[in-house]
């Protein structure tokens, strides 16, 4: 069979370019549009643009404005409150020593949560509220820590729990993150290893 006869036997092929392939002019226009977008976005308010993108994807701003709770690392507690009282019956010395050691690193914060046992007698005597008594217990423990100079006031957070957890106050340490600025050569931090 000759080459001419062989070419005649082949079916006619269509265009070698697929329909969806963009032309060089389309690519050039897209590139010019991209550079125009870059130039125009220099004068945009970046916060407004980010807010618009978040709203476009259904993200609420309230979730971004509230700081997340620090990662809980360890927990201490003070138990032994009398029913209806915010005065501790146990000595707080062990809790103070624990808090002082736990907060040597300045990036660690304390979260103090007061609780009640849920019984009708374990409520604030003036208001009759269990939540008020739980908050009073948390404030009393925070005051004990502050008077003992165990931790600065700006590293304490006081909360009260809604569910009954017993007549106690729970103190949890939390790592606030590496974003906290520390003075250089902080003696309270272990030396950092340098990668080799």
């Amino acid at each position: 069979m000759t080459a001419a006869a062989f070419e005649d036997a082949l079916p006619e092929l269509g265009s070698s370019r697929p329909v969806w392939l963009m032309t060089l002019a389309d690519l050039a226009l897209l590139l010019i549009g991209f550079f125009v977008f870059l130039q125009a976005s220099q004068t945009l308010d970046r916060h407004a643009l980010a807010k618009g993108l978040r709203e476009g994807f259904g993200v609420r701003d309230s979730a971004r404005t509230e700081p997340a709770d620090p990662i809980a690392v360890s927990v201490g507690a003070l138990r032994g409150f009398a029913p209806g009282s915010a005065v501790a019956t146990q000595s707080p010395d062990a809790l103070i020593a624990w808090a002082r050691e736990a907060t040597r690193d300045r990036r660690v914060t304390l979260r103090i949560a007061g609780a009640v046992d849920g019984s009708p007698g374990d409520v604030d005597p003036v208001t009759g509220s269990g939540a008020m008594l739980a908050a009073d217990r948390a404030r009393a423990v925070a005051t004990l820590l502050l008077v003992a100079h165990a931790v600065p006031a700006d590293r304490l957070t006081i909360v009260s729990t809604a569910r009954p957890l017993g007549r106690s106050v729970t103190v949890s340490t939390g790592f606030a993150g590496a974003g906290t600025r520390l003075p250089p050569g902080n003696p309270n931090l272990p030396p950092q290893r340098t990668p080799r």
Side-chain angles (χ1 to χ4, degrees):
M1 186 172 227
T2 64
F6 183 71
E7 287 178 5
D8 289 339
L10 290 176
E12 180 102 10
L13 294 176
S15 172
S16 63
R17 252 184 273 153
V19 176
W20 52 265
L21 185 63
M22 291 185 252
T23 63
L24 182 60
D26 292 335
L27 288 175
L29 286 174
L30 285 173
L31 189 59
I32 289 171
F34 176 71
F35 284 126
V36 167
F37 175 74
L38 284 180
Q39 185 66 25
S41 66
Q42 290 179 355
T43 59
L44 288 177
D45 181 17
R46 293 177 190 260
H47 295 293
L49 179 63
K51 181 181 176 187
L53 288 173
R54 282 193 304 269
E55 287 174 357
F57 285 105
V59 178
R60 290 189 230 144
D61 279 341
S62 63
R64 293 190 44 87
T65 57
E66 297 174 7
D69 288 336
I71 301 168
V73 178
S74 61
V75 177
L78 184 62
R79 293 175 179 32
F81 289 90
S85 173
V87 178
T89 57
Q90 291 182 343
S91 171
D93 293 337
L95 181 67
I96 290 170
W98 172 84
R100 185 174 284 129
E101 180 64 28
T103 57
R104 282 184 47 201
D105 185 345
R106 294 183 188 186
R107 298 172 293 183
V108 174
T109 60
L110 291 182
R111 185 171 188 227
I112 304 172
V116 294
D117 64 6
S119 67
D122 197 28
V123 294
D124 182 56
V126 176
T127 63
S129 169
M132 185 68 72
L133 179 61
D136 287 344
R137 287 176 177 165
R139 280 196 313 252
V141 170
T143 303
L144 290 172
L145 293 174
L146 291 173
V147 168
H149 301 289
V151 63
D154 62 342
R155 292 168 55 197
L156 294 176
T157 304
I158 297 175
V159 297
S160 62
T161 56
R163 60 180 187 209
L165 294 174
R167 296 186 306 266
S168 65
V169 173
T170 305
V171 182
S172 59
T173 60
F175 181 67
T180 308
R181 294 182 183 257
L182 297 172
N186 185 355
N188 294 330
L189 289 177
Q192 301 294 323
R193 294 184 182 177
T194 55
R196 298 177 191 220

